[in-house]
Amino acid sequence: MRLLFMGPPGAGKGTQAMRLSAELGVPQISTGDIFRHNVAEQTELGQAAQRFMDAGEYVPDEVTNEMVRARLAEEDTRQGFLLDGYPRTVDQVQTLDEILAELDQELDAVVVLSVDSEELIARLLKRAETSGRDDDNEDVIRHRQEVFKAQTAPLLQTYEQRGIVVEVDGLGDVDEVAERIVGALAAAGKS
Ligand code: B4P
C-alpha cells in the first residue's frame, strides 16, 4: 500500500498516519517529524530547515525533495509507505512522480482529511500547551493555515484528476476518524 496523507495543519495527518502505518505494517514517513528530529540533533539539514519551520513557512523544495528521495530509497519502503505531509507544493508533486517512476511504483490513494479552520486552530493551540514546538503559537498557526490554502490545497485537484483521492471527514474523536479512514479506503477498493 502506497498512501499520501494530506490536509491542513491540525487535521490529524500525523495522528492518523501513525495508527494506519502500524496497522498496515508499512513505514510512516512524516517530513515534519524528520525535520524536527534534525533540528533537535542540530544537523546541517536541521539548521537549513529551522528558520522556515519556526516562521510557519515551507522548507525549500530542494531540501525537502532530496530528503524524501533518500528516504524512499531505503529498503523498508519496498512493500509500501505512508507519506504524511509530503508533497505540499507543485514542485514536490512533480518530484514525487519522478521518484516513484524511477522506482517503478505508483500511489494507491491520497487520503484527504477535512476539518474546519476554527477547529484546526483550537487543536493546535491545545497542542501548544505541551508540545514545546516553536511553530505552535497563534500567529504562526494562522500563517500555516494560509500557507496551506495558497500552496497545498490547489494540489488536491491534481490527485482528484487521477481518481485516487479518498476524502474523509476529520471531525470527531481519533478512533472515529481512524474507522472512517479504513472504511473509506475499503469502499474505494484500496485495501
Ligand atoms: P508537520 O509536522 O506536517 O505539521 P502539521 O501540518 O502541523 O501537522 P501535524 O501532523 O503535526 O498535526 P496533526 O494534523 O496530526 O509540519 C510542520 C512544519 O514542517 C511545516 O510548517 C513546514 O515548515 C515543515 N514541513 C513539513 N513537511 C514539509 C514539506 N513537505 N515541505 C516543506 N516544508 C515542510 O495534529 C495536530 C493536533 O491535533 C495534535 O495535537 C493531535 O493530537 C490533534 N488531533 C489529531 N486528531 C484529532 C482529533 N480527531 N480530535 C482532536 N484532536 C486531534
Side-chain angles (χ1 to χ4, degrees):
M1 190 72 123
R2 297 184 181 90
L3 298 177
L4 305 187
F5 264 62
M6 294 182 88
K13 299 181 299 289
T15 309
Q16 297 296 337
M18 192 193 300
R19 289 175 69 127
L20 192 62
S21 83
E23 248 176 72
L24 297 174
V26 297
Q28 171 198 7
I29 301 173
S30 158
T31 41
D33 284 350
I34 302 174
F35 285 135
R36 278 186 289 279
H37 174 76
N38 277 277
V39 169
E41 297 289 318
Q42 297 183 315
T43 66
E44 212 174 300
L45 177 64
Q47 281 164 9
Q50 184 164 19
R51 68 191 166 94
F52 297 100
M53 297 178 76
D54 288 354
E57 297 288 345
Y58 288 162
V59 178
D61 286 333
E62 57 272 23
V63 176
T64 310
N65 286 332
E66 198 184 318
M67 180 178 91
V68 172
R69 187 183 290 278
R71 182 65 187 88
L72 287 176
E74 288 179 33
E75 195 54 39
D76 66 337
T77 64
R78 288 292 87 88
Q79 301 310 315
F81 55 77
L82 214 157
L83 266 171
D84 154 19
Y86 179 95
R88 271 169 144 114
T89 65
V90 174
D91 191 81
Q92 292 180 17
V93 168
Q94 285 165 355
T95 301
L96 180 61
D97 285 344
E98 283 165 25
I99 297 171
L100 294 179
E102 282 160 20
L103 294 169
D104 202 18
Q105 294 178 355
E106 276 186 13
L107 292 174
D108 292 295
V110 178
V111 176
V112 177
L113 289 173
S114 47
V115 176
D116 72 71
S117 52
E118 287 314 306
E119 164 73 9
L120 295 171
I121 289 165
R123 283 184 187 181
L124 293 174
L125 286 174
K126 183 155 181 260
R127 183 171 71 185
E129 292 167 13
T130 54
S131 71
R133 276 174 58 165
D134 288 332
D135 59 349
D136 276 349
N137 68 71
E138 186 156 0
D139 286 348
V140 177
I141 289 169
R142 289 192 184 274
H143 183 62
R144 282 158 60 201
Q145 305 296 337
E146 292 307 317
V147 172
F148 173 83
K149 276 187 209 149
Q151 297 199 49
T152 307
L155 306 179
L156 298 182
Q157 274 182 11
T158 306
Y159 290 116
E160 266 158 16
Q161 283 159 4
R162 297 184 194 180
I164 55 171
V165 168
V166 174
E167 196 159 355
V168 176
D169 178 3
L171 208 60
D173 72 34
V174 171
D175 289 340
E176 219 177 306
V177 177
E179 275 175 35
R180 261 182 230 146
I181 292 172
V182 172
L185 285 170
K190 305 290 185 185
S191 60

